Structures are given as C-alpha cells and as structure tokens.
Amino acid sequence: MRKDLHEANRLSWNAATVAHNSHKGDQAAFFRNGGSTLFPEEVELLGEIRGLSLLHLQCNSGQDSLSLARLGADVTGVDISDEAIAFARRLSHESGIPARFEREDLFAWFEQAADGQRSFDRVFASYGTICWLSDLDAWARGIARVLRPDGRFVFMEFHPFAMVFNERWQPFYDYFDKAPVEEDGVGDYVAESGTGLTPGEHETGMVDFRNPHNSYEFYWGVGEVVSALIRAGLTLERMEEFPFANGWRGFEGMRDIGGRRMVPPEGMPRIPLMYGLVARKRP
C-alpha cells in the first residue's frame, strides 16, 4: 500500500476540487429545485434504496451522495480530500438534504469502521475511483467487512480498456502495467467536459487551471476488480459494459448522443467506455 502516494493525491485533489466546483453554478439551488447528478445506469444497478443505509466511497464533493439521499437512503460519504468533504458538508446544509461526510484515506477509514462495527446495506462507488487506490485487495476486503449480510456493492467505473488511449485516441498506456503512473496533477476535467458534468448550470469558473501538485494513478483491469471482490468473499451477481461514458469527454471529438452520454467521433468503432457490476455478501 502506497500511503505516500495517497497523500500526494490528497493534495492534488484539494487543488482540483476548487477548480471543478467553480464551473457548477449554484449547486445548493440546483438541489433545492429537485436536481440530481445521477445517471440512469447507476440508479438501475442500485435498485430501491429508500430506507437503506448507504456508504458512498470516494464521494468527492457530495453531489451524487446528496442525490442518493434524496432517493431515501441514509447516506455516509467518505473521501480523502479535505476540500471535497468541506464542500459536501456545506452543500448538504445549504440544500437541506441530510447526509454524513467523513474525511479520511479510504483504507484507514475501513479499519476505523471495522473497529467500530459499522455496517451498511449498500456500498457504492462510481467513476474514476479505483485508479487512485494502490491496493485493490485491501479495497475489496474493506467493502466486504462493512457490508451487512445480503448487502450489495454497486460499482460503476470507466472501462480500463479505454484508458490505454491518450487524449488523441492513440494507444499510449500499458493495460497490464502495475507501476504507479505519475501525472501533472488532477486536471480540470469538469471544464473539459462542459455541460456533460454540470447538469445544473455550467459556468466558466477558473480558466487554464494548472495543478501545483502531481498525482499518481494505478491501473486495474476488469479481471483484477472481479477477482479481488471474489477473493474478499463477495458473489458477483451482475456485470454490464457500455459503449458510452456518462458525462465525461475524456478524448478528442467525443459526441453527446443524448442524456450526456459521450461516444467516440463518427467513424470509430464502438469500444467499451464504462462498466458496472453488482456483488452481494452472502447471508
């Protein structure tokens, strides 16, 4: 486990979160007016969550967490970024949607939760999460430990096959490389995605953001994710692959085909851009 790299990522995310939220307008008003940041795919995988306790891993600034709380779940969000958690707590207060937000490195949080015998009906994580984690088995074991019997883990993530390409759709990254990849910090992907990641009101916000803190990413294949969950004692119930990316314009020429679903330019073959799964803890 590379806690030193997790700490570097915390600093990088603190800087990037300010830039990201600068583009999203009055988010409290968006939620007060009934807004939601969720996409149909994760709602369908989660199923009915009203009255259930739900743990949202790497919740970022809490927008999806509050959208889940609005569906009736008792939500706890966890994230490593101080800035993200502070923003999420303010947004919860200003929007009037109750949720708990806790700042901690995820692996440390799992240990604390196990010591406190905390448990949840659902555990949820989505979009650009596991690439920041240095130990996939520890992640899967942590999920299994905090799930209640018959509880479910729901995961939606960008497909690792797409991550072999650079922004110009050129093969660049090694799918099987296990060494951490150093980058020039978490970028302003919210600005680059335009209205794709700002369902309320898109604002110009910060311009030409440059992160002063480098970041480190880890590449995990689909087989590694599934195997880690199985080794942790969970049962895979469902897995889906999608030829579009929700909200994120991560590559040149991506097109919105409706519903903020982004696909490659005309003429390119369809490739998997996202996948989702559901894993259950046996009673």
Side-chain angles (χ1 to χ4, degrees), residues 240-277:
E240 303 280 350
E241 295 177 291
F242 304 92
F244 53 83
N246 281 337
W248 178 54
R249 285 188 174 96
F251 306 95
E252 289 182 354
M254 292 190 80
R255 302 171 290 126
D256 187 342
I257 59 171
R260 297 185 290 129
R261 291 173 169 175
M262 307 301 172
V263 298
E266 291 279 4
M268 276 190 61
R270 294 194 301 170
I271 63 172
L273 293 175
M274 251 179 13
Y275 72 102
L277 60 81

PDB file of all heavy atoms in Angstrom, residues 240-277:
ATOM      1  N   GLU A 240     -22.138  -5.328 -16.426  1.00  0.00           N
ATOM      2  CA  GLU A 240     -22.545  -4.714 -17.685  1.00  0.00           C
ATOM      3  C   GLU A 240     -21.389  -3.890 -18.240  1.00  0.00           C
ATOM      4  O   GLU A 240     -20.609  -3.302 -17.483  1.00  0.00           O
ATOM      5  CB  GLU A 240     -23.752  -3.790 -17.477  1.00  0.00           C
ATOM      6  CG  GLU A 240     -24.970  -4.436 -16.853  1.00  0.00           C
ATOM      7  CD  GLU A 240     -25.797  -5.227 -17.842  1.00  0.00           C
ATOM      8  OE1 GLU A 240     -25.525  -5.116 -19.052  1.00  0.00           O
ATOM      9  OE2 GLU A 240     -26.713  -5.947 -17.403  1.00  0.00           O
ATOM     10  N   GLU A 241     -21.295  -3.839 -19.592  1.00  0.00           N
ATOM     11  CA  GLU A 241     -20.359  -2.950 -20.258  1.00  0.00           C
ATOM     12  C   GLU A 241     -21.151  -1.997 -21.144  1.00  0.00           C
ATOM     13  O   GLU A 241     -22.192  -2.365 -21.695  1.00  0.00           O
ATOM     14  CB  GLU A 241     -19.355  -3.749 -21.095  1.00  0.00           C
ATOM     15  CG  GLU A 241     -18.442  -4.626 -20.272  1.00  0.00           C
ATOM     16  CD  GLU A 241     -17.504  -5.453 -21.136  1.00  0.00           C
ATOM     17  OE1 GLU A 241     -18.005  -6.365 -21.823  1.00  0.00           O
ATOM     18  OE2 GLU A 241     -16.287  -5.190 -21.120  1.00  0.00           O
ATOM     19  N   PHE A 242     -20.635  -0.763 -21.291  1.00  0.00           N
ATOM     20  CA  PHE A 242     -21.373   0.268 -22.004  1.00  0.00           C
ATOM     21  C   PHE A 242     -20.487   0.931 -23.060  1.00  0.00           C
ATOM     22  O   PHE A 242     -19.313   1.223 -22.786  1.00  0.00           O
ATOM     23  CB  PHE A 242     -21.861   1.334 -21.017  1.00  0.00           C
ATOM     24  CG  PHE A 242     -22.695   0.790 -19.893  1.00  0.00           C
ATOM     25  CD1 PHE A 242     -22.102   0.418 -18.687  1.00  0.00           C
ATOM     26  CD2 PHE A 242     -24.063   0.637 -20.036  1.00  0.00           C
ATOM     27  CE1 PHE A 242     -22.868  -0.091 -17.647  1.00  0.00           C
ATOM     28  CE2 PHE A 242     -24.837   0.120 -19.001  1.00  0.00           C
ATOM     29  CZ  PHE A 242     -24.234  -0.235 -17.800  1.00  0.00           C
ATOM     30  N   PRO A 243     -21.048   1.210 -24.262  1.00  0.00           N
ATOM     31  CA  PRO A 243     -20.269   1.837 -25.327  1.00  0.00           C
ATOM     32  C   PRO A 243     -20.270   3.353 -25.254  1.00  0.00           C
ATOM     33  O   PRO A 243     -20.022   4.025 -26.260  1.00  0.00           O
ATOM     34  CB  PRO A 243     -20.978   1.339 -26.591  1.00  0.00           C
ATOM     35  CG  PRO A 243     -22.411   1.258 -26.185  1.00  0.00           C
ATOM     36  CD  PRO A 243     -22.392   0.802 -24.734  1.00  0.00           C
ATOM     37  N   PHE A 244     -20.539   3.912 -24.081  1.00  0.00           N
ATOM     38  CA  PHE A 244     -20.549   5.359 -23.884  1.00  0.00           C
ATOM     39  C   PHE A 244     -20.012   5.670 -22.492  1.00  0.00           C
ATOM     40  O   PHE A 244     -19.934   4.790 -21.632  1.00  0.00           O
ATOM     41  CB  PHE A 244     -21.962   5.934 -24.063  1.00  0.00           C
ATOM     42  CG  PHE A 244     -23.013   5.261 -23.220  1.00  0.00           C
ATOM     43  CD1 PHE A 244     -23.209   5.626 -21.900  1.00  0.00           C
ATOM     44  CD2 PHE A 244     -23.800   4.237 -23.745  1.00  0.00           C
ATOM     45  CE1 PHE A 244     -24.168   4.996 -21.111  1.00  0.00           C
ATOM     46  CE2 PHE A 244     -24.752   3.601 -22.970  1.00  0.00           C
ATOM     47  CZ  PHE A 244     -24.940   3.985 -21.651  1.00  0.00           C
ATOM     48  N   ALA A 245     -19.632   6.927 -22.300  1.00  0.00           N
ATOM     49  CA  ALA A 245     -19.160   7.392 -20.989  1.00  0.00           C
ATOM     50  C   ALA A 245     -20.126   8.444 -20.483  1.00  0.00           C
ATOM     51  O   ALA A 245     -20.411   9.422 -21.189  1.00  0.00           O
ATOM     52  CB  ALA A 245     -17.750   7.979 -21.102  1.00  0.00           C
ATOM     53  N   ASN A 246     -20.619   8.263 -19.301  1.00  0.00           N
ATOM     54  CA  ASN A 246     -21.554   9.226 -18.733  1.00  0.00           C
ATOM     55  C   ASN A 246     -20.840  10.522 -18.365  1.00  0.00           C
ATOM     56  O   ASN A 246     -19.989  10.549 -17.467  1.00  0.00           O
ATOM     57  CB  ASN A 246     -22.249   8.640 -17.503  1.00  0.00           C
ATOM     58  CG  ASN A 246     -23.376   7.703 -17.870  1.00  0.00           C
ATOM     59  OD1 ASN A 246     -23.923   7.784 -18.963  1.00  0.00           O
ATOM     60  ND2 ASN A 246     -23.722   6.803 -16.966  1.00  0.00           N
ATOM     61  N   GLY A 247     -21.183  11.576 -19.074  1.00  0.00           N
ATOM     62  CA  GLY A 247     -20.750  12.926 -18.708  1.00  0.00           C
ATOM     63  C   GLY A 247     -19.354  13.320 -19.123  1.00  0.00           C
ATOM     64  O   GLY A 247     -19.106  14.502 -19.383  1.00  0.00           O
ATOM     65  N   TRP A 248     -18.442  12.383 -19.211  1.00  0.00           N
ATOM     66  CA  TRP A 248     -17.014  12.697 -19.328  1.00  0.00           C
ATOM     67  C   TRP A 248     -16.561  12.719 -20.779  1.00  0.00           C
ATOM     68  O   TRP A 248     -16.646  11.707 -21.478  1.00  0.00           O
ATOM     69  CB  TRP A 248     -16.212  11.661 -18.545  1.00  0.00           C
ATOM     70  CG  TRP A 248     -14.728  11.836 -18.604  1.00  0.00           C
ATOM     71  CD1 TRP A 248     -14.018  12.950 -18.303  1.00  0.00           C
ATOM     72  CD2 TRP A 248     -13.776  10.826 -18.971  1.00  0.00           C
ATOM     73  NE1 TRP A 248     -12.669  12.703 -18.451  1.00  0.00           N
ATOM     74  CE2 TRP A 248     -12.497  11.408 -18.863  1.00  0.00           C
ATOM     75  CE3 TRP A 248     -13.884   9.489 -19.365  1.00  0.00           C
ATOM     76  CZ2 TRP A 248     -11.331  10.710 -19.139  1.00  0.00           C
ATOM     77  CZ3 TRP A 248     -12.737   8.791 -19.646  1.00  0.00           C
ATOM     78  CH2 TRP A 248     -11.473   9.397 -19.524  1.00  0.00           C
ATOM     79  N   ARG A 249     -16.062  13.865 -21.219  1.00  0.00           N
ATOM     80  CA  ARG A 249     -15.445  13.964 -22.544  1.00  0.00           C
ATOM     81  C   ARG A 249     -13.932  13.832 -22.371  1.00  0.00           C
ATOM     82  O   ARG A 249     -13.203  14.819 -22.349  1.00  0.00           O
ATOM     83  CB  ARG A 249     -15.774  15.310 -23.193  1.00  0.00           C
ATOM     84  CG  ARG A 249     -17.180  15.454 -23.733  1.00  0.00           C
ATOM     85  CD  ARG A 249     -17.322  16.742 -24.521  1.00  0.00           C
ATOM     86  NE  ARG A 249     -18.607  16.856 -25.177  1.00  0.00           N
ATOM     87  CZ  ARG A 249     -19.662  17.507 -24.678  1.00  0.00           C
ATOM     88  NH1 ARG A 249     -19.556  18.103 -23.492  1.00  0.00           N
ATOM     89  NH2 ARG A 249     -20.793  17.576 -25.349  1.00  0.00           N
ATOM     90  N   GLY A 250     -13.476  12.612 -22.251  1.00  0.00           N
ATOM     91  CA  GLY A 250     -12.073  12.390 -21.944  1.00  0.00           C
ATOM     92  C   GLY A 250     -11.156  12.334 -23.145  1.00  0.00           C
ATOM     93  O   GLY A 250      -9.938  12.308 -22.981  1.00  0.00           O
ATOM     94  N   PHE A 251     -11.723  12.312 -24.353  1.00  0.00           N
ATOM     95  CA  PHE A 251     -10.924  12.163 -25.562  1.00  0.00           C
ATOM     96  C   PHE A 251     -11.408  13.149 -26.630  1.00  0.00           C
ATOM     97  O   PHE A 251     -12.545  13.631 -26.580  1.00  0.00           O
ATOM     98  CB  PHE A 251     -11.026  10.728 -26.091  1.00  0.00           C
ATOM     99  CG  PHE A 251     -10.684   9.673 -25.085  1.00  0.00           C
ATOM    100  CD1 PHE A 251     -11.679   9.055 -24.329  1.00  0.00           C
ATOM    101  CD2 PHE A 251      -9.365   9.315 -24.858  1.00  0.00           C
ATOM    102  CE1 PHE A 251     -11.370   8.083 -23.393  1.00  0.00           C
ATOM    103  CE2 PHE A 251      -9.045   8.340 -23.922  1.00  0.00           C
ATOM    104  CZ  PHE A 251     -10.039   7.728 -23.186  1.00  0.00           C
ATOM    105  N   GLU A 252     -10.549  13.398 -27.592  1.00  0.00           N
ATOM    106  CA  GLU A 252     -10.880  14.359 -28.648  1.00  0.00           C
ATOM    107  C   GLU A 252     -12.099  13.901 -29.447  1.00  0.00           C
ATOM    108  O   GLU A 252     -12.243  12.722 -29.769  1.00  0.00           O
ATOM    109  CB  GLU A 252      -9.692  14.529 -29.592  1.00  0.00           C
ATOM    110  CG  GLU A 252      -8.523  15.285 -28.989  1.00  0.00           C
ATOM    111  CD  GLU A 252      -7.391  15.481 -29.978  1.00  0.00           C
ATOM    112  OE1 GLU A 252      -7.487  14.921 -31.102  1.00  0.00           O
ATOM    113  OE2 GLU A 252      -6.416  16.176 -29.633  1.00  0.00           O
ATOM    114  N   GLY A 253     -12.958  14.857 -29.770  1.00  0.00           N
ATOM    115  CA  GLY A 253     -14.066  14.600 -30.678  1.00  0.00           C
ATOM    116  C   GLY A 253     -15.214  13.810 -30.120  1.00  0.00           C
ATOM    117  O   GLY A 253     -16.092  13.363 -30.879  1.00  0.00           O
ATOM    118  N   MET A 254     -15.285  13.621 -28.808  1.00  0.00           N
ATOM    119  CA  MET A 254     -16.394  12.863 -28.244  1.00  0.00           C
ATOM    120  C   MET A 254     -17.706  13.615 -28.446  1.00  0.00           C
ATOM    121  O   MET A 254     -17.769  14.835 -28.346  1.00  0.00           O
ATOM    122  CB  MET A 254     -16.159  12.558 -26.766  1.00  0.00           C
ATOM    123  CG  MET A 254     -15.012  11.594 -26.530  1.00  0.00           C
ATOM    124  SD  MET A 254     -14.907  11.007 -24.817  1.00  0.00           S
ATOM    125  CE  MET A 254     -16.180   9.738 -24.796  1.00  0.00           C
ATOM    126  N   ARG A 255     -18.768  12.831 -28.734  1.00  0.00           N
ATOM    127  CA  ARG A 255     -20.068  13.403 -29.062  1.00  0.00           C
ATOM    128  C   ARG A 255     -21.104  13.017 -28.011  1.00  0.00           C
ATOM    129  O   ARG A 255     -21.080  11.910 -27.479  1.00  0.00           O
ATOM    130  CB  ARG A 255     -20.543  12.873 -30.423  1.00  0.00           C
ATOM    131  CG  ARG A 255     -19.602  13.152 -31.574  1.00  0.00           C
ATOM    132  CD  ARG A 255     -20.051  12.398 -32.831  1.00  0.00           C
ATOM    133  NE  ARG A 255     -19.856  10.955 -32.699  1.00  0.00           N
ATOM    134  CZ  ARG A 255     -20.814  10.042 -32.892  1.00  0.00           C
ATOM    135  NH1 ARG A 255     -22.039  10.422 -33.177  1.00  0.00           N
ATOM    136  NH2 ARG A 255     -20.546   8.750 -32.767  1.00  0.00           N
ATOM    137  N   ASP A 256     -22.025  13.939 -27.742  1.00  0.00           N
ATOM    138  CA  ASP A 256     -23.134  13.679 -26.830  1.00  0.00           C
ATOM    139  C   ASP A 256     -24.287  13.121 -27.657  1.00  0.00           C
ATOM    140  O   ASP A 256     -24.838  13.809 -28.522  1.00  0.00           O
ATOM    141  CB  ASP A 256     -23.553  14.977 -26.130  1.00  0.00           C
ATOM    142  CG  ASP A 256     -24.590  14.755 -25.035  1.00  0.00           C
ATOM    143  OD1 ASP A 256     -25.231  13.689 -25.034  1.00  0.00           O
ATOM    144  OD2 ASP A 256     -24.750  15.654 -24.203  1.00  0.00           O
ATOM    145  N   ILE A 257     -24.661  11.869 -27.407  1.00  0.00           N
ATOM    146  CA  ILE A 257     -25.747  11.249 -28.160  1.00  0.00           C
ATOM    147  C   ILE A 257     -27.080  11.380 -27.438  1.00  0.00           C
ATOM    148  O   ILE A 257     -28.071  10.750 -27.817  1.00  0.00           O
ATOM    149  CB  ILE A 257     -25.439   9.768 -28.455  1.00  0.00           C
ATOM    150  CG1 ILE A 257     -25.232   8.974 -27.152  1.00  0.00           C
ATOM    151  CG2 ILE A 257     -24.233   9.657 -29.374  1.00  0.00           C
ATOM    152  CD1 ILE A 257     -25.130   7.460 -27.373  1.00  0.00           C
ATOM    153  N   GLY A 258     -27.102  12.212 -26.414  1.00  0.00           N
ATOM    154  CA  GLY A 258     -28.310  12.415 -25.629  1.00  0.00           C
ATOM    155  C   GLY A 258     -28.150  11.895 -24.219  1.00  0.00           C
ATOM    156  O   GLY A 258     -27.506  10.872 -23.998  1.00  0.00           O
ATOM    157  N   GLY A 259     -28.722  12.616 -23.270  1.00  0.00           N
ATOM    158  CA  GLY A 259     -28.619  12.197 -21.877  1.00  0.00           C
ATOM    159  C   GLY A 259     -27.231  12.323 -21.309  1.00  0.00           C
ATOM    160  O   GLY A 259     -26.893  11.642 -20.349  1.00  0.00           O
ATOM    161  N   ARG A 260     -26.392  13.174 -21.918  1.00  0.00           N
ATOM    162  CA  ARG A 260     -24.997  13.369 -21.516  1.00  0.00           C
ATOM    163  C   ARG A 260     -24.198  12.062 -21.618  1.00  0.00           C
ATOM    164  O   ARG A 260     -23.272  11.822 -20.867  1.00  0.00           O
ATOM    165  CB  ARG A 260     -24.914  13.966 -20.112  1.00  0.00           C
ATOM    166  CG  ARG A 260     -25.524  15.339 -20.000  1.00  0.00           C
ATOM    167  CD  ARG A 260     -25.343  15.980 -18.638  1.00  0.00           C
ATOM    168  NE  ARG A 260     -26.127  15.323 -17.631  1.00  0.00           N
ATOM    169  CZ  ARG A 260     -25.641  14.895 -16.472  1.00  0.00           C
ATOM    170  NH1 ARG A 260     -24.365  15.064 -16.182  1.00  0.00           N
ATOM    171  NH2 ARG A 260     -26.415  14.290 -15.592  1.00  0.00           N
ATOM    172  N   ARG A 261     -24.535  11.248 -22.606  1.00  0.00           N
ATOM    173  CA  ARG A 261     -23.787  10.033 -22.908  1.00  0.00           C
ATOM    174  C   ARG A 261     -22.792  10.348 -24.020  1.00  0.00           C
ATOM    175  O   ARG A 261     -23.182  10.701 -25.137  1.00  0.00           O
ATOM    176  CB  ARG A 261     -24.734   8.916 -23.347  1.00  0.00           C
ATOM    177  CG  ARG A 261     -25.611   8.399 -22.217  1.00  0.00           C
ATOM    178  CD  ARG A 261     -26.636   7.413 -22.743  1.00  0.00           C
ATOM    179  NE  ARG A 261     -27.298   6.719 -21.645  1.00  0.00           N
ATOM    180  CZ  ARG A 261     -28.300   5.865 -21.808  1.00  0.00           C
ATOM    181  NH1 ARG A 261     -28.751   5.595 -23.024  1.00  0.00           N
ATOM    182  NH2 ARG A 261     -28.858   5.276 -20.764  1.00  0.00           N
ATOM    183  N   MET A 262     -21.510  10.225 -23.713  1.00  0.00           N
ATOM    184  CA  MET A 262     -20.448  10.613 -24.632  1.00  0.00           C
ATOM    185  C   MET A 262     -19.890   9.390 -25.359  1.00  0.00           C
ATOM    186  O   MET A 262     -19.580   8.370 -24.738  1.00  0.00           O
ATOM    187  CB  MET A 262     -19.324  11.318 -23.869  1.00  0.00           C
ATOM    188  CG  MET A 262     -19.799  12.492 -23.008  1.00  0.00           C
ATOM    189  SD  MET A 262     -20.627  13.774 -23.967  1.00  0.00           S
ATOM    190  CE  MET A 262     -21.254  14.828 -22.632  1.00  0.00           C
ATOM    191  N   VAL A 263     -19.762   9.521 -26.697  1.00  0.00           N
ATOM    192  CA  VAL A 263     -19.246   8.426 -27.514  1.00  0.00           C
ATOM    193  C   VAL A 263     -18.108   8.937 -28.394  1.00  0.00           C
ATOM    194  O   VAL A 263     -17.939  10.149 -28.565  1.00  0.00           O
ATOM    195  CB  VAL A 263     -20.364   7.830 -28.402  1.00  0.00           C
ATOM    196  CG1 VAL A 263     -21.474   7.244 -27.541  1.00  0.00           C
ATOM    197  CG2 VAL A 263     -20.921   8.876 -29.360  1.00  0.00           C
ATOM    198  N   PRO A 264     -17.315   8.033 -28.978  1.00  0.00           N
ATOM    199  CA  PRO A 264     -16.209   8.449 -29.839  1.00  0.00           C
ATOM    200  C   PRO A 264     -16.689   9.185 -31.086  1.00  0.00           C
ATOM    201  O   PRO A 264     -17.886   9.185 -31.409  1.00  0.00           O
ATOM    202  CB  PRO A 264     -15.533   7.121 -30.205  1.00  0.00           C
ATOM    203  CG  PRO A 264     -15.917   6.191 -29.112  1.00  0.00           C
ATOM    204  CD  PRO A 264     -17.302   6.584 -28.726  1.00  0.00           C
ATOM    205  N   PRO A 265     -15.753   9.796 -31.815  1.00  0.00           N
ATOM    206  CA  PRO A 265     -16.120  10.506 -33.050  1.00  0.00           C
ATOM    207  C   PRO A 265     -16.734   9.566 -34.081  1.00  0.00           C
ATOM    208  O   PRO A 265     -16.551   8.344 -34.040  1.00  0.00           O
ATOM    209  CB  PRO A 265     -14.774  11.065 -33.549  1.00  0.00           C
ATOM    210  CG  PRO A 265     -13.876  11.047 -32.364  1.00  0.00           C
ATOM    211  CD  PRO A 265     -14.325   9.901 -31.518  1.00  0.00           C
ATOM    212  N   GLU A 266     -17.465  10.151 -35.026  1.00  0.00           N
ATOM    213  CA  GLU A 266     -18.029   9.381 -36.130  1.00  0.00           C
ATOM    214  C   GLU A 266     -16.919   8.607 -36.836  1.00  0.00           C
ATOM    215  O   GLU A 266     -15.823   9.116 -37.046  1.00  0.00           O
ATOM    216  CB  GLU A 266     -18.712  10.320 -37.132  1.00  0.00           C
ATOM    217  CG  GLU A 266     -19.987  10.974 -36.621  1.00  0.00           C
ATOM    218  CD  GLU A 266     -21.192  10.052 -36.725  1.00  0.00           C
ATOM    219  OE1 GLU A 266     -21.005   8.878 -37.135  1.00  0.00           O
ATOM    220  OE2 GLU A 266     -22.302  10.493 -36.394  1.00  0.00           O
ATOM    221  N   GLY A 267     -17.228   7.387 -37.228  1.00  0.00           N
ATOM    222  CA  GLY A 267     -16.278   6.583 -37.964  1.00  0.00           C
ATOM    223  C   GLY A 267     -15.446   5.651 -37.112  1.00  0.00           C
ATOM    224  O   GLY A 267     -14.847   4.702 -37.637  1.00  0.00           O
ATOM    225  N   MET A 268     -15.374   5.907 -35.804  1.00  0.00           N
ATOM    226  CA  MET A 268     -14.646   4.999 -34.922  1.00  0.00           C
ATOM    227  C   MET A 268     -15.531   3.826 -34.528  1.00  0.00           C
ATOM    228  O   MET A 268     -16.728   3.998 -34.314  1.00  0.00           O
ATOM    229  CB  MET A 268     -14.175   5.720 -33.656  1.00  0.00           C
ATOM    230  CG  MET A 268     -12.880   6.475 -33.793  1.00  0.00           C
ATOM    231  SD  MET A 268     -12.272   7.052 -32.168  1.00  0.00           S
ATOM    232  CE  MET A 268     -12.041   5.492 -31.305  1.00  0.00           C
ATOM    233  N   PRO A 269     -14.980   2.626 -34.403  1.00  0.00           N
ATOM    234  CA  PRO A 269     -15.782   1.503 -33.910  1.00  0.00           C
ATOM    235  C   PRO A 269     -16.148   1.720 -32.451  1.00  0.00           C
ATOM    236  O   PRO A 269     -15.454   2.420 -31.713  1.00  0.00           O
ATOM    237  CB  PRO A 269     -14.852   0.307 -34.077  1.00  0.00           C
ATOM    238  CG  PRO A 269     -13.480   0.884 -34.042  1.00  0.00           C
ATOM    239  CD  PRO A 269     -13.586   2.236 -34.694  1.00  0.00           C
ATOM    240  N   ARG A 270     -17.241   1.112 -32.044  1.00  0.00           N
ATOM    241  CA  ARG A 270     -17.642   1.210 -30.646  1.00  0.00           C
ATOM    242  C   ARG A 270     -16.692   0.390 -29.780  1.00  0.00           C
ATOM    243  O   ARG A 270     -16.303  -0.718 -30.157  1.00  0.00           O
ATOM    244  CB  ARG A 270     -19.077   0.728 -30.466  1.00  0.00           C
ATOM    245  CG  ARG A 270     -20.097   1.603 -31.155  1.00  0.00           C
ATOM    246  CD  ARG A 270     -21.497   1.297 -30.670  1.00  0.00           C
ATOM    247  NE  ARG A 270     -21.861  -0.092 -30.908  1.00  0.00           N
ATOM    248  CZ  ARG A 270     -22.953  -0.673 -30.402  1.00  0.00           C
ATOM    249  NH1 ARG A 270     -23.765   0.018 -29.608  1.00  0.00           N
ATOM    250  NH2 ARG A 270     -23.220  -1.938 -30.673  1.00  0.00           N
ATOM    251  N   ILE A 271     -16.320   0.946 -28.653  1.00  0.00           N
ATOM    252  CA  ILE A 271     -15.480   0.245 -27.690  1.00  0.00           C
ATOM    253  C   ILE A 271     -16.122   0.414 -26.315  1.00  0.00           C
ATOM    254  O   ILE A 271     -16.929   1.324 -26.103  1.00  0.00           O
ATOM    255  CB  ILE A 271     -14.033   0.788 -27.669  1.00  0.00           C
ATOM    256  CG1 ILE A 271     -14.016   2.269 -27.217  1.00  0.00           C
ATOM    257  CG2 ILE A 271     -13.374   0.634 -29.031  1.00  0.00           C
ATOM    258  CD1 ILE A 271     -12.611   2.805 -26.987  1.00  0.00           C
ATOM    259  N   PRO A 272     -15.773  -0.455 -25.347  1.00  0.00           N
ATOM    260  CA  PRO A 272     -16.337  -0.272 -24.002  1.00  0.00           C
ATOM    261  C   PRO A 272     -15.710   0.942 -23.323  1.00  0.00           C
ATOM    262  O   PRO A 272     -14.493   1.036 -23.192  1.00  0.00           O
ATOM    263  CB  PRO A 272     -15.969  -1.574 -23.284  1.00  0.00           C
ATOM    264  CG  PRO A 272     -14.746  -2.054 -23.993  1.00  0.00           C
ATOM    265  CD  PRO A 272     -14.898  -1.643 -25.419  1.00  0.00           C
ATOM    266  N   LEU A 273     -16.544   1.867 -22.913  1.00  0.00           N
ATOM    267  CA  LEU A 273     -16.081   3.079 -22.236  1.00  0.00           C
ATOM    268  C   LEU A 273     -16.429   3.084 -20.749  1.00  0.00           C
ATOM    269  O   LEU A 273     -15.859   3.882 -19.998  1.00  0.00           O
ATOM    270  CB  LEU A 273     -16.667   4.315 -22.910  1.00  0.00           C
ATOM    271  CG  LEU A 273     -16.172   4.599 -24.336  1.00  0.00           C
ATOM    272  CD1 LEU A 273     -16.929   5.783 -24.936  1.00  0.00           C
ATOM    273  CD2 LEU A 273     -14.676   4.882 -24.347  1.00  0.00           C
ATOM    274  N   MET A 274     -17.332   2.218 -20.333  1.00  0.00           N
ATOM    275  CA  MET A 274     -17.761   2.151 -18.945  1.00  0.00           C
ATOM    276  C   MET A 274     -18.160   0.715 -18.630  1.00  0.00           C
ATOM    277  O   MET A 274     -18.537  -0.019 -19.527  1.00  0.00           O
ATOM    278  CB  MET A 274     -19.029   2.996 -18.758  1.00  0.00           C
ATOM    279  CG  MET A 274     -18.963   4.211 -18.038  1.00  0.00           C
ATOM    280  SD  MET A 274     -20.456   5.186 -17.860  1.00  0.00           S
ATOM    281  CE  MET A 274     -21.833   4.220 -18.344  1.00  0.00           C
ATOM    282  N   TYR A 275     -18.077   0.345 -17.364  1.00  0.00           N
ATOM    283  CA  TYR A 275     -18.664  -0.927 -16.942  1.00  0.00           C
ATOM    284  C   TYR A 275     -19.265  -0.763 -15.552  1.00  0.00           C
ATOM    285  O   TYR A 275     -18.906   0.143 -14.782  1.00  0.00           O
ATOM    286  CB  TYR A 275     -17.641  -2.063 -16.973  1.00  0.00           C
ATOM    287  CG  TYR A 275     -16.573  -2.035 -15.892  1.00  0.00           C
ATOM    288  CD1 TYR A 275     -16.663  -2.870 -14.780  1.00  0.00           C
ATOM    289  CD2 TYR A 275     -15.467  -1.206 -15.988  1.00  0.00           C
ATOM    290  CE1 TYR A 275     -15.675  -2.878 -13.802  1.00  0.00           C
ATOM    291  CE2 TYR A 275     -14.475  -1.196 -15.027  1.00  0.00           C
ATOM    292  CZ  TYR A 275     -14.582  -2.031 -13.933  1.00  0.00           C
ATOM    293  OH  TYR A 275     -13.607  -2.028 -12.962  1.00  0.00           O
ATOM    294  N   GLY A 276     -20.210  -1.624 -15.245  1.00  0.00           N
ATOM    295  CA  GLY A 276     -20.838  -1.612 -13.926  1.00  0.00           C
ATOM    296  C   GLY A 276     -21.019  -3.026 -13.432  1.00  0.00           C
ATOM    297  O   GLY A 276     -21.143  -3.971 -14.224  1.00  0.00           O
ATOM    298  N   LEU A 277     -21.035  -3.182 -12.113  1.00  0.00           N
ATOM    299  CA  LEU A 277     -21.245  -4.516 -11.546  1.00  0.00           C
ATOM    300  C   LEU A 277     -21.974  -4.421 -10.208  1.00  0.00           C
ATOM    301  O   LEU A 277     -21.994  -3.369  -9.552  1.00  0.00           O
ATOM    302  CB  LEU A 277     -19.925  -5.271 -11.396  1.00  0.00           C
ATOM    303  CG  LEU A 277     -18.810  -4.705 -10.511  1.00  0.00           C
ATOM    304  CD1 LEU A 277     -19.038  -5.010  -9.023  1.00  0.00           C
ATOM    305  CD2 LEU A 277     -17.467  -5.259 -10.929  1.00  0.00           C
TER     306      LEU A 277
END
